[in-house]
Amino acid sequence: MAALETAYERVGAAHRDFRCCDTSFHIEVKGIRAAAAADAARRTVKELENQLNAFDADSAVGRLNSHGAVENEHVARLVHRGLEYYDRTENVFDVHQGRVEHSLKAYLRGDDDAVPETFDTGTISICGHHVSTEVTLDLNGLAKGYIVDRAAETLAGLGRRGFVSGGGDMSPPVGPVAVESPYSDAKPLKTLETEWAVATSGNYRRERAGTDHIYDPATGRLGSRHESVTVLAERDCMEADALATTLAALPLDEANTLADDWDGLEALIVHDGVFHPTDGFDTHVLDA
């Protein structure tokens, strides 16, 4: 019996389900020392949440926004990537909008009855792991994807494979997994099976009086323009996370153009009940 227990510990399967980052996380792993790997991935998720939670004044992001500077490798990586997307999306994905993000979240929670009417600009600088800023930052469009990526790295190992899902942001391999309908239908929009990272966004998850968590600082518009956006990114989950948010904020024609022109990206936009997939999206769909 002891030998069997030892063998199962070394080669088996494990999963972990828990709440983190204001959403549900699921970790699945098979192979050598699966249980130990699943536990390590869960610790990684929790540790990164403690550092990246913008609504915790003691976190690294909280200290950055309150003091204007912080030394933290994870924050530096997020800011660096955020500034990359700021340039590549012509300022639609904008990490300068921490004040707007906090105000929107307060409105959606019912803690405030006013929505933000202005957007911010300011200087951000990075030197190694040191980040300084003149403006409150919004890193939430990157943080969950980044946490999923780092936790998935923890699962990697010889003779072991697994994935991490955090509120719809998923590390590869993904599948078969259903894309949830924004219309509360039991039937999923699509069933994915892919080696790319996946993220979803839209106006059906968090909404109050027609306003949701999506915003476009380039035009000053609040709210997602589409019912649902599913993004598959070859690079990593952080990219899928950022581009799902970006496409949700853009008008349909602009969103389609950006998705079509972005290398290593496929997307499915649901707008007014109509599906708008990129040309290669169905190559990642099971039995398409």
Side-chain angles (χ1 to χ4, degrees), residues 86-175:
Y86 180 71
D87 291 336
R88 294 181 67 184
T89 65
E90 297 183 354
N91 305 355
V92 177
F93 188 90
D94 188 358
V95 295
H96 300 80
Q97 306 304 328
R99 180 190 59 81
V100 172
E101 168 73 2
H102 280 67
S103 180
L104 266 179
K105 291 289 176 62
Y107 175 78
L108 294 174
R109 289 194 306 265
D111 297 338
D112 195 337
D113 289 329
V115 296
E117 297 180 352
T118 60
F119 291 82
D120 299 326
T121 58
T123 301
I124 304 170
S125 62
I126 310 171
C127 182
H129 295 161
H130 183 83
V131 181
S132 58
T133 177
E134 297 177 347
V135 63
T136 302
L137 299 190
D138 173 16
L139 302 179
N140 286 348
L142 298 163
K144 185 149 61 73
Y146 179 79
I147 290 172
V148 167
D149 287 331
R150 300 288 77 78
E153 288 178 357
T154 306
L155 297 180
L158 182 64
R160 188 171 62 239
R161 198 177 198 201
F163 73 93
V164 178
S165 173
D169 291 5
M170 304 181 71
S171 69
V174 174

Coordinates of all heavy atoms in Angstrom, one line a residue, residues 86-175:
Y86 N 0.1 50.3 -25.1 CA -0.3 51.7 -25.3 C 0.1 52.3 -26.6 O -0.7 52.9 -27.3 CB 0.3 52.5 -24.1 CG -0.1 54.0 -24.1 CD1 -1.3 54.4 -23.8 CD2 0.9 54.9 -24.4 CE1 -1.6 55.8 -23.7 CE2 0.6 56.3 -24.4 CZ -0.7 56.7 -24.1 OH -1.0 58.0 -24.0
D87 N 1.3 52.0 -27.0 CA 1.8 52.4 -28.3 C 1.1 51.6 -29.5 O 0.7 52.2 -30.5 CB 3.3 52.3 -28.4 CG 4.0 53.2 -27.5 OD1 3.5 54.3 -27.2 OD2 5.2 52.9 -27.1
R88 N 1.0 50.3 -29.3 CA 0.6 49.5 -30.5 C -0.9 49.6 -30.7 O -1.4 49.3 -31.8 CB 0.9 48.0 -30.2 CG 2.4 47.8 -30.2 CD 2.7 46.3 -30.0 NE 2.3 45.5 -31.1 CZ 2.4 44.1 -31.1 NH1 2.9 43.5 -30.1 NH2 1.9 43.4 -32.1
T89 N -1.7 50.0 -29.7 CA -3.2 50.2 -29.8 C -3.6 51.6 -30.0 O -4.8 52.0 -29.9 CB -3.9 49.6 -28.6 OG1 -3.6 50.4 -27.5 CG2 -3.5 48.1 -28.4
E90 N -2.6 52.5 -30.2 CA -2.9 53.9 -30.4 C -3.6 54.5 -29.2 O -4.6 55.2 -29.3 CB -3.6 54.2 -31.7 CG -2.8 53.8 -32.9 CD -3.5 54.2 -34.2 OE1 -4.7 54.6 -34.2 OE2 -2.9 54.0 -35.3
N91 N -3.1 54.1 -28.0 CA -3.6 54.7 -26.7 C -4.9 54.1 -26.2 O -5.5 54.6 -25.2 CB -3.6 56.2 -26.7 CG -2.3 56.9 -27.1 OD1 -1.3 56.2 -27.4 ND2 -2.4 58.2 -27.3
V92 N -5.5 53.1 -26.9 CA -6.8 52.6 -26.4 C -6.5 51.7 -25.2 O -7.3 51.8 -24.2 CB -7.4 51.7 -27.5 CG1 -8.7 51.1 -27.0 CG2 -7.8 52.6 -28.7
F93 N -5.5 50.9 -25.2 CA -5.1 50.2 -24.0 C -4.1 51.1 -23.2 O -3.0 51.4 -23.7 CB -4.4 48.9 -24.3 CG -4.1 48.1 -23.0 CD1 -5.0 47.2 -22.6 CD2 -2.9 48.2 -22.3 CE1 -4.8 46.4 -21.4 CE2 -2.7 47.5 -21.2 CZ -3.7 46.6 -20.7
D94 N -4.6 51.6 -22.1 CA -3.9 52.8 -21.4 C -3.7 52.5 -19.9 O -4.7 52.6 -19.2 CB -4.7 54.0 -21.7 CG -4.0 55.3 -21.2 OD1 -2.8 55.2 -20.7 OD2 -4.5 56.4 -21.4
V95 N -2.5 52.2 -19.5 CA -2.2 52.0 -18.1 C -2.2 53.2 -17.2 O -2.1 53.2 -16.0 CB -0.9 51.2 -17.9 CG1 -1.0 49.8 -18.5 CG2 0.3 52.0 -18.5
H96 N -2.4 54.4 -17.9 CA -2.4 55.7 -17.1 C -3.7 55.9 -16.3 O -3.7 56.9 -15.6 CB -2.1 56.9 -18.0 CG -0.9 56.8 -18.8 ND1 -0.7 56.1 -20.0 CD2 0.3 57.5 -18.6 CE1 0.5 56.3 -20.5 NE2 1.2 57.1 -19.6
Q97 N -4.7 55.1 -16.5 CA -6.0 55.4 -16.1 C -6.4 54.7 -14.8 O -7.5 54.2 -14.6 CB -7.0 55.0 -17.2 CG -6.7 55.6 -18.5 CD -6.6 57.2 -18.4 OE1 -7.3 57.8 -17.6 NE2 -5.8 57.7 -19.3
G98 N -5.5 54.7 -13.8 CA -5.8 54.0 -12.5 C -6.9 54.7 -11.8 O -7.8 54.1 -11.1
R99 N -7.0 56.1 -11.8 CA -8.1 56.8 -11.2 C -9.4 56.4 -11.8 O -10.4 56.2 -11.1 CB -7.9 58.3 -11.3 CG -8.9 59.2 -10.6 CD -8.8 60.6 -11.0 NE -8.9 60.8 -12.5 CZ -10.0 60.9 -13.1 NH1 -11.2 60.8 -12.5 NH2 -10.0 61.1 -14.4
V100 N -9.5 56.3 -13.1 CA -10.7 56.0 -13.8 C -11.1 54.5 -13.4 O -12.3 54.3 -13.1 CB -10.5 56.1 -15.3 CG1 -11.7 55.5 -16.1 CG2 -10.3 57.5 -15.7
E101 N -10.2 53.6 -13.4 CA -10.4 52.2 -13.0 C -11.0 52.1 -11.6 O -12.0 51.5 -11.4 CB -9.2 51.4 -13.1 CG -9.2 50.0 -12.5 CD -10.0 49.0 -13.3 OE1 -10.5 49.4 -14.4 OE2 -10.1 47.9 -12.8
H102 N -10.4 52.8 -10.7 CA -10.9 52.8 -9.3 C -12.3 53.4 -9.2 O -13.2 52.9 -8.5 CB -10.0 53.5 -8.4 CG -8.8 52.8 -8.0 ND1 -7.8 52.4 -8.8 CD2 -8.4 52.2 -6.8 CE1 -6.9 51.7 -8.2 NE2 -7.2 51.6 -6.9
S103 N -12.6 54.5 -9.9 CA -13.9 55.1 -9.9 C -14.9 54.3 -10.5 O -16.1 54.2 -10.0 CB -13.8 56.5 -10.7 OG -15.0 57.1 -10.7
L104 N -14.6 53.6 -11.6 CA -15.6 52.7 -12.3 C -15.9 51.5 -11.4 O -17.1 51.1 -11.3 CB -15.0 52.2 -13.6 CG -15.3 52.9 -14.9 CD1 -14.6 52.3 -16.1 CD2 -16.8 53.0 -15.1
K105 N -14.9 50.9 -10.8 CA -15.2 49.8 -9.9 C -16.0 50.2 -8.7 O -16.9 49.5 -8.3 CB -13.8 49.2 -9.4 CG -13.0 48.5 -10.4 CD -13.6 47.2 -10.9 CE -12.9 46.5 -12.0 NZ -11.5 46.2 -11.6
A106 N -15.8 51.4 -8.2 CA -16.6 51.9 -7.1 C -18.1 52.1 -7.5 O -19.0 51.8 -6.8 CB -16.1 53.2 -6.5
Y107 N -18.3 52.6 -8.7 CA -19.6 52.7 -9.3 C -20.3 51.4 -9.5 O -21.5 51.2 -9.1 CB -19.5 53.5 -10.6 CG -20.9 53.6 -11.3 CD1 -21.8 54.5 -10.9 CD2 -21.2 52.7 -12.4 CE1 -23.1 54.6 -11.5 CE2 -22.4 52.8 -13.0 CZ -23.3 53.7 -12.6 OH -24.6 53.8 -13.2
L108 N -19.6 50.4 -10.0 CA -20.2 49.1 -10.3 C -20.5 48.4 -9.0 O -21.5 47.6 -9.0 CB -19.2 48.3 -11.2 CG -19.0 48.8 -12.6 CD1 -17.9 47.9 -13.3 CD2 -20.2 48.7 -13.4
R109 N -19.7 48.6 -7.9 CA -20.0 48.0 -6.6 C -21.2 48.6 -5.9 O -21.7 48.1 -5.0 CB -18.8 48.1 -5.7 CG -17.6 47.2 -6.1 CD -16.6 47.1 -5.0 NE -16.2 48.4 -4.5 CZ -15.1 49.0 -5.0 NH1 -14.3 48.4 -5.9 NH2 -14.7 50.2 -4.5
G110 N -21.6 49.8 -6.4 CA -22.6 50.6 -5.7 C -22.1 51.5 -4.7 O -22.9 52.1 -3.9
D111 N -20.8 51.7 -4.5 CA -20.2 52.5 -3.5 C -20.2 54.0 -3.9 O -20.0 54.9 -3.1 CB -18.7 52.1 -3.2 CG -18.6 50.7 -2.7 OD1 -19.6 50.2 -2.1 OD2 -17.6 50.1 -2.8
D112 N -20.4 54.3 -5.2 CA -20.4 55.6 -5.7 C -21.5 55.7 -6.8 O -21.7 54.7 -7.6 CB -19.0 56.0 -6.3 CG -18.9 57.5 -6.5 OD1 -19.9 58.2 -6.6 OD2 -17.7 57.9 -6.5
D113 N -22.2 56.8 -6.9 CA -23.2 57.0 -7.9 C -22.8 57.8 -9.1 O -23.5 58.1 -10.0 CB -24.5 57.6 -7.3 CG -25.2 56.7 -6.4 OD1 -25.2 55.5 -6.6 OD2 -25.8 57.2 -5.4
A114 N -21.5 58.2 -9.2 CA -21.0 59.0 -10.3 C -19.9 58.2 -11.0 O -19.1 57.4 -10.5 CB -20.3 60.3 -9.7
V115 N -19.9 58.3 -12.4 CA -18.9 57.7 -13.2 C -17.9 58.7 -13.6 O -18.2 59.9 -13.6 CB -19.6 57.1 -14.5 CG1 -20.5 56.0 -14.1 CG2 -20.3 58.1 -15.3
P116 N -16.6 58.3 -13.9 CA -15.6 59.2 -14.3 C -15.9 59.9 -15.6 O -16.5 59.3 -16.5 CB -14.4 58.4 -14.4 CG -14.8 57.0 -14.6 CD -16.1 56.9 -13.9
E117 N -15.6 61.2 -15.6 CA -15.9 62.0 -16.9 C -14.7 62.5 -17.6 O -14.7 62.9 -18.7 CB -16.8 63.2 -16.5 CG -18.2 62.8 -15.9 CD -19.0 64.0 -15.6 OE1 -18.5 65.1 -15.6 OE2 -20.2 63.8 -15.3
T118 N -13.5 62.4 -16.9 CA -12.3 62.8 -17.5 C -11.2 61.7 -17.4 O -11.3 60.8 -16.5 CB -11.7 64.1 -16.9 OG1 -11.5 63.8 -15.5 CG2 -12.7 65.2 -17.0
F119 N -10.2 61.7 -18.3 CA -9.2 60.7 -18.3 C -7.8 61.4 -18.1 O -7.7 62.6 -18.2 CB -9.2 60.0 -19.6 CG -10.4 59.1 -19.8 CD1 -11.6 59.6 -20.2 CD2 -10.3 57.7 -19.5 CE1 -12.7 58.7 -20.4 CE2 -11.4 56.9 -19.6 CZ -12.6 57.4 -20.1
D120 N -6.8 60.6 -17.6 CA -5.6 61.2 -17.2 C -4.4 60.9 -18.1 O -4.4 60.0 -18.9 CB -5.2 60.6 -15.8 CG -6.3 60.9 -14.7 OD1 -6.9 62.0 -14.8 OD2 -6.5 60.0 -13.9
T121 N -3.4 61.7 -18.0 CA -2.1 61.5 -18.7 C -1.0 61.8 -17.6 O -1.3 62.4 -16.6 CB -1.9 62.5 -19.9 OG1 -2.0 63.8 -19.4 CG2 -3.0 62.2 -20.9
G122 N 0.2 61.3 -17.9 CA 1.3 61.5 -17.0 C 2.5 60.7 -17.5 O 2.4 59.8 -18.3
T123 N 3.6 61.0 -16.8 CA 4.9 60.3 -17.2 C 5.1 59.1 -16.4 O 4.9 59.1 -15.1 CB 6.0 61.3 -17.0 OG1 5.8 62.5 -17.8 CG2 7.4 60.6 -17.4
I124 N 5.5 58.0 -17.0 CA 5.9 56.7 -16.4 C 7.3 56.4 -16.8 O 7.6 56.5 -18.0 CB 4.9 55.6 -16.8 CG1 3.4 56.0 -16.5 CG2 5.3 54.3 -16.0 CD1 2.5 55.0 -17.1
S125 N 8.1 56.0 -15.9 CA 9.5 55.6 -16.2 C 9.8 54.3 -15.6 O 9.4 54.0 -14.4 CB 10.5 56.7 -15.9 OG 10.5 56.9 -14.5
I126 N 10.6 53.5 -16.3 CA 11.1 52.2 -15.7 C 12.6 52.1 -15.9 O 13.2 52.4 -16.9 CB 10.5 51.0 -16.5 CG1 9.0 51.1 -16.7 CG2 10.8 49.7 -15.9 CD1 8.4 50.1 -17.6
C127 N 13.3 51.7 -14.8 CA 14.7 51.4 -14.8 C 15.0 50.2 -14.1 O 14.9 50.1 -12.8 CB 15.5 52.6 -14.2 SG 17.3 52.4 -14.3
G128 N 15.2 49.1 -14.8 CA 15.3 47.8 -14.2 C 14.0 47.4 -13.6 O 13.0 47.3 -14.3
H129 N 14.0 47.1 -12.2 CA 12.8 46.8 -11.5 C 12.1 48.0 -10.9 O 11.1 47.8 -10.1 CB 13.0 45.7 -10.5 CG 13.5 44.4 -11.1 ND1 14.1 43.4 -10.4 CD2 13.3 43.9 -12.4 CE1 14.4 42.4 -11.2 NE2 13.9 42.7 -12.4
H130 N 12.7 49.2 -11.1 CA 12.2 50.4 -10.4 C 11.2 51.1 -11.4 O 11.5 51.4 -12.5 CB 13.3 51.3 -10.1 CG 12.9 52.6 -9.4 ND1 12.6 52.6 -8.0 CD2 12.6 53.8 -9.8 CE1 12.2 53.8 -7.6 NE2 12.2 54.5 -8.7
V131 N 10.0 51.4 -10.9 CA 9.0 52.0 -11.6 C 8.6 53.3 -10.9 O 8.4 53.3 -9.7 CB 7.7 51.2 -11.8 CG1 6.7 51.9 -12.6 CG2 8.1 49.8 -12.4
S132 N 8.5 54.4 -11.6 CA 8.0 55.7 -11.1 C 7.0 56.2 -12.0 O 7.0 56.1 -13.2 CB 9.2 56.7 -10.9 OG 9.8 57.0 -12.1
T133 N 6.0 56.9 -11.4 CA 4.9 57.4 -12.2 C 4.3 58.7 -11.6 O 4.4 58.9 -10.3 CB 3.7 56.4 -12.2 OG1 2.6 57.0 -12.9 CG2 3.3 56.0 -10.8
E134 N 3.8 59.6 -12.4 CA 3.2 60.8 -12.0 C 1.7 60.7 -11.9 O 1.0 61.6 -11.5 CB 3.5 62.0 -13.0 CG 5.0 62.3 -13.1 CD 5.2 63.4 -14.1 OE1 4.3 63.7 -14.9 OE2 6.4 63.9 -14.1
V135 N 1.2 59.5 -12.3 CA -0.3 59.3 -12.4 C -0.6 57.9 -11.8 O 0.2 57.0 -11.9 CB -0.7 59.4 -13.9 CG1 -0.1 58.3 -14.7 CG2 -2.2 59.4 -14.0
T136 N -1.8 57.8 -11.3 CA -2.2 56.5 -10.8 C -2.4 55.5 -11.9 O -3.0 55.8 -13.0 CB -3.6 56.6 -10.1 OG1 -3.5 57.5 -9.0 CG2 -4.0 55.3 -9.5
L137 N -1.8 54.3 -11.8 CA -1.8 53.3 -12.9 C -2.9 52.3 -12.8 O -3.3 51.9 -11.7 CB -0.5 52.6 -12.9 CG 0.8 53.4 -13.1 CD1 2.0 52.6 -13.4 CD2 0.6 54.4 -14.3
D138 N -3.4 51.8 -13.9 CA -4.3 50.7 -14.0 C -3.6 49.6 -14.7 O -3.4 49.6 -15.9 CB -5.6 51.2 -14.8 CG -6.5 50.0 -15.1 OD1 -6.4 48.9 -14.4 OD2 -7.4 50.1 -16.0
L139 N -3.3 48.6 -13.9 CA -2.6 47.4 -14.4 C -3.5 46.2 -14.5 O -3.1 45.1 -14.8 CB -1.3 47.1 -13.6 CG -0.3 48.2 -13.5 CD1 0.9 47.8 -12.7 CD2 0.2 48.6 -14.9
N140 N -4.8 46.4 -14.2 CA -5.7 45.2 -14.1 C -6.0 44.5 -15.4 O -6.3 43.4 -15.4 CB -7.1 45.7 -13.5 CG -7.0 46.0 -12.0 OD1 -6.0 45.6 -11.4 ND2 -8.0 46.7 -11.5
G141 N -5.8 45.3 -16.5 CA -6.0 44.6 -17.8 C -4.8 43.7 -18.2 O -4.9 43.0 -19.2
L142 N -3.8 43.6 -17.3 CA -2.7 42.8 -17.6 C -2.5 41.8 -16.4 O -1.9 40.7 -16.6 CB -1.4 43.6 -17.7 CG -1.3 44.6 -18.9 CD1 -0.2 45.6 -18.6 CD2 -1.1 43.8 -20.2
A143 N -2.8 42.1 -15.2 CA -2.4 41.4 -14.0 C -2.9 40.0 -14.0 O -2.2 39.1 -13.7 CB -2.9 42.2 -12.8
K144 N -4.2 39.8 -14.3 CA -4.7 38.4 -14.2 C -4.1 37.5 -15.3 O -3.7 36.4 -14.9 CB -6.2 38.4 -14.4 CG -6.9 37.1 -14.2 CD -8.3 37.2 -13.6 CE -9.2 38.0 -14.6 NZ -9.6 37.2 -15.8
G145 N -3.9 38.0 -16.5 CA -3.2 37.2 -17.5 C -1.8 36.9 -17.1 O -1.3 35.8 -17.3
Y146 N -1.1 37.9 -16.5 CA 0.3 37.7 -16.0 C 0.3 36.6 -14.9 O 1.2 35.7 -14.9 CB 0.8 39.0 -15.5 CG 2.2 38.9 -14.9 CD1 3.3 38.9 -15.8 CD2 2.5 38.9 -13.6 CE1 4.6 38.8 -15.3 CE2 3.8 38.8 -13.1 CZ 4.8 38.8 -13.9 OH 6.1 38.7 -13.4
I147 N -0.6 36.7 -14.0 CA -0.7 35.7 -12.9 C -0.9 34.3 -13.4 O -0.2 33.3 -13.0 CB -1.7 36.1 -11.9 CG1 -1.3 37.3 -11.1 CG2 -2.0 34.9 -10.9 CD1 -2.4 37.9 -10.2
V148 N -1.8 34.2 -14.4 CA -2.0 32.9 -15.0 C -0.8 32.3 -15.7 O -0.4 31.2 -15.6 CB -3.2 33.0 -16.1 CG1 -3.2 31.7 -17.0 CG2 -4.5 33.2 -15.4
D149 N 0.0 33.2 -16.4 CA 1.2 32.8 -17.1 C 2.2 32.3 -16.1 O 2.9 31.3 -16.3 CB 1.8 34.0 -17.9 CG 1.0 34.3 -19.1 OD1 0.4 33.4 -19.7 OD2 1.0 35.5 -19.5
R150 N 2.4 33.0 -15.0 CA 3.4 32.7 -14.0 C 3.1 31.4 -13.3 O 3.9 30.5 -13.0 CB 3.6 33.8 -13.0 CG 4.1 35.1 -13.5 CD 5.5 35.1 -14.0 NE 5.7 34.5 -15.3 CZ 5.4 35.0 -16.5 NH1 4.8 36.2 -16.5 NH2 5.6 34.4 -17.6
A151 N 1.8 31.2 -13.0 CA 1.4 30.0 -12.3 C 1.5 28.8 -13.3 O 1.9 27.7 -12.8 CB -0.1 30.1 -11.9
A152 N 1.2 29.0 -14.6 CA 1.4 27.9 -15.5 C 2.9 27.5 -15.7 O 3.2 26.3 -15.8 CB 0.8 28.3 -16.9
E153 N 3.8 28.5 -15.6 CA 5.2 28.1 -15.6 C 5.6 27.2 -14.4 O 6.4 26.3 -14.5 CB 6.0 29.4 -15.5 CG 6.0 30.2 -16.8 CD 6.8 31.5 -16.7 OE1 7.3 31.8 -15.6 OE2 6.9 32.2 -17.7
T154 N 4.9 27.4 -13.3 CA 5.2 26.6 -12.1 C 4.8 25.1 -12.3 O 5.4 24.2 -11.8 CB 4.4 27.1 -10.9 OG1 4.7 28.5 -10.7 CG2 4.7 26.4 -9.6
L155 N 3.8 24.9 -13.2 CA 3.4 23.5 -13.5 C 4.3 22.8 -14.4 O 4.3 21.6 -14.5 CB 2.0 23.6 -14.1 CG 0.8 24.1 -13.3 CD1 -0.5 24.1 -14.1 CD2 0.7 23.3 -12.0
A156 N 5.1 23.5 -15.2 CA 5.9 22.9 -16.2 C 7.0 22.0 -15.5 O 7.5 22.3 -14.5 CB 6.6 24.0 -17.0
G157 N 7.3 20.9 -16.2 CA 8.3 19.9 -15.7 C 8.3 18.7 -16.6 O 7.4 18.4 -17.3
L158 N 9.4 18.0 -16.5 CA 9.6 16.7 -17.3 C 8.5 15.7 -16.8 O 8.3 15.4 -15.7 CB 11.0 16.1 -17.0 CG 11.3 14.9 -17.8 CD1 11.3 15.1 -19.3 CD2 12.6 14.3 -17.4
G159 N 7.7 15.2 -17.8 CA 6.7 14.3 -17.5 C 5.5 14.8 -16.8 O 4.7 14.1 -16.2
R160 N 5.2 16.1 -17.0 CA 4.1 16.8 -16.4 C 3.5 17.9 -17.3 O 4.3 18.6 -18.0 CB 4.5 17.4 -15.1 CG 3.4 17.9 -14.2 CD 3.8 18.3 -12.8 NE 4.8 19.4 -12.8 CZ 6.0 19.3 -12.3 NH1 6.4 18.2 -11.7 NH2 6.8 20.3 -12.3
R161 N 2.2 18.0 -17.3 CA 1.5 19.0 -18.1 C 0.3 19.4 -17.4 O -0.4 18.6 -16.8 CB 1.2 18.4 -19.5 CG 0.9 19.5 -20.5 CD 0.7 19.0 -21.9 NE 0.9 20.0 -22.9 CZ 0.4 19.9 -24.1 NH1 -0.4 18.8 -24.5 NH2 0.5 20.9 -25.0
G162 N 0.0 20.7 -17.5 CA -1.2 21.2 -16.9 C -1.6 22.6 -17.4 O -0.9 23.1 -18.3
F163 N -2.7 23.1 -16.9 CA -3.1 24.5 -17.3 C -3.7 25.2 -16.1 O -4.1 24.6 -15.1 CB -4.1 24.4 -18.5 CG -5.5 24.0 -18.1 CD1 -6.5 24.9 -17.8 CD2 -5.8 22.6 -18.1 CE1 -7.7 24.4 -17.4 CE2 -7.1 22.2 -17.7 CZ -8.0 23.1 -17.4
V164 N -3.8 26.5 -16.3 CA -4.4 27.4 -15.2 C -5.5 28.2 -15.9 O -5.3 28.8 -16.9 CB -3.3 28.3 -14.6 CG1 -3.9 29.2 -13.6 CG2 -2.2 27.5 -14.0
S165 N -6.6 28.3 -15.2 CA -7.7 29.2 -15.6 C -8.1 30.1 -14.5 O -8.3 29.7 -13.4 CB -8.9 28.3 -16.0 OG -10.1 29.2 -16.2
G166 N -8.1 31.4 -14.8 CA -8.5 32.4 -13.9 C -9.6 33.3 -14.4 O -9.3 34.2 -15.2
G167 N -10.8 33.0 -14.1 CA -11.9 33.8 -14.6 C -12.0 34.0 -16.1 O -12.3 35.1 -16.5
G168 N -11.8 33.0 -16.8 CA -11.8 33.0 -18.3 C -10.5 33.3 -19.0 O -10.4 33.2 -20.2
D169 N -9.5 33.6 -18.2 CA -8.1 33.7 -18.8 C -7.4 32.4 -18.6 O -7.3 31.9 -17.4 CB -7.3 34.8 -18.1 CG -7.8 36.2 -18.4 OD1 -8.9 36.3 -19.1 OD2 -7.2 37.2 -17.9
M170 N -7.0 31.8 -19.6 CA -6.5 30.4 -19.6 C -5.2 30.2 -20.3 O -5.0 30.7 -21.4 CB -7.5 29.5 -20.2 CG -8.9 29.6 -19.6 SD -10.1 28.4 -20.4 CE -9.5 26.9 -19.7
S171 N -4.3 29.5 -19.6 CA -3.0 29.2 -20.2 C -3.2 27.9 -21.1 O -4.1 27.1 -20.8 CB -2.0 28.9 -19.1 OG -2.3 27.6 -18.4
P172 N -2.3 27.8 -22.1 CA -2.4 26.5 -22.9 C -1.8 25.4 -22.1 O -1.0 25.6 -21.2 CB -1.6 26.9 -24.1 CG -0.7 28.0 -23.7 CD -1.4 28.7 -22.6
P173 N -2.2 24.1 -22.5 CA -3.1 23.8 -23.6 C -4.6 24.0 -23.1 O -4.9 23.6 -22.0 CB -2.8 22.3 -23.9 CG -2.3 21.8 -22.6 CD -1.6 22.9 -21.9
V174 N -5.4 24.6 -23.9 CA -6.8 24.8 -23.6 C -7.7 23.9 -24.4 O -7.6 23.8 -25.6 CB -7.2 26.3 -24.0 CG1 -8.6 26.5 -23.7 CG2 -6.3 27.3 -23.1
G175 N -8.5 23.2 -23.7 CA -9.5 22.4 -24.4 C -9.6 20.9 -23.9 O -8.7 20.4 -23.3

